[in-house]
Amino acid sequence: MTINSETELERAVAEFQRLSSAPDDSEEGRRRRDLDADIKAYYAKCSDEMRPAKPPRD
């Protein structure tokens, strides 16, 4: 899945987080690795154009 917008990025990050405890050798673990690669590729391509992150809550 190629990520083409910040909305798609947010969805991919949410799915990645949901899959965080999946075993590496499972279907979910493979999906998490694919998402990780897609998220990193999007950041590498678009980091200069992205809106700033939300500040952390105290």
Side-chain angles (χ1 to χ4, degrees):
M1 166 183 135
T2 301
I3 299 172
N4 296 307
S5 69
E6 287 189 43
T7 301
E8 290 178 6
L9 174 64
E10 290 171 4
R11 286 188 198 127
V13 169
E15 183 177 358
F16 178 86
Q17 290 172 337
R18 183 181 60 78
L19 298 172
S20 66
S21 62
D24 288 338
D25 60 345
S26 68
E27 182 70 29
E28 292 85 6
R30 287 186 287 281
R31 175 69 178 147
R32 184 184 63 233
R33 284 192 305 277
D34 290 344
L35 287 166
D36 183 52
D38 292 339
I39 290 166
K40 287 176 180 174
Y42 183 82
Y43 275 117
K45 182 176 91 174
C46 300
S47 62
D48 292 341
E49 303 163 9
M50 294 176 68
R51 61 182 160 80
K54 296 177 185 175
R57 293 184 178 178
D58 293 329

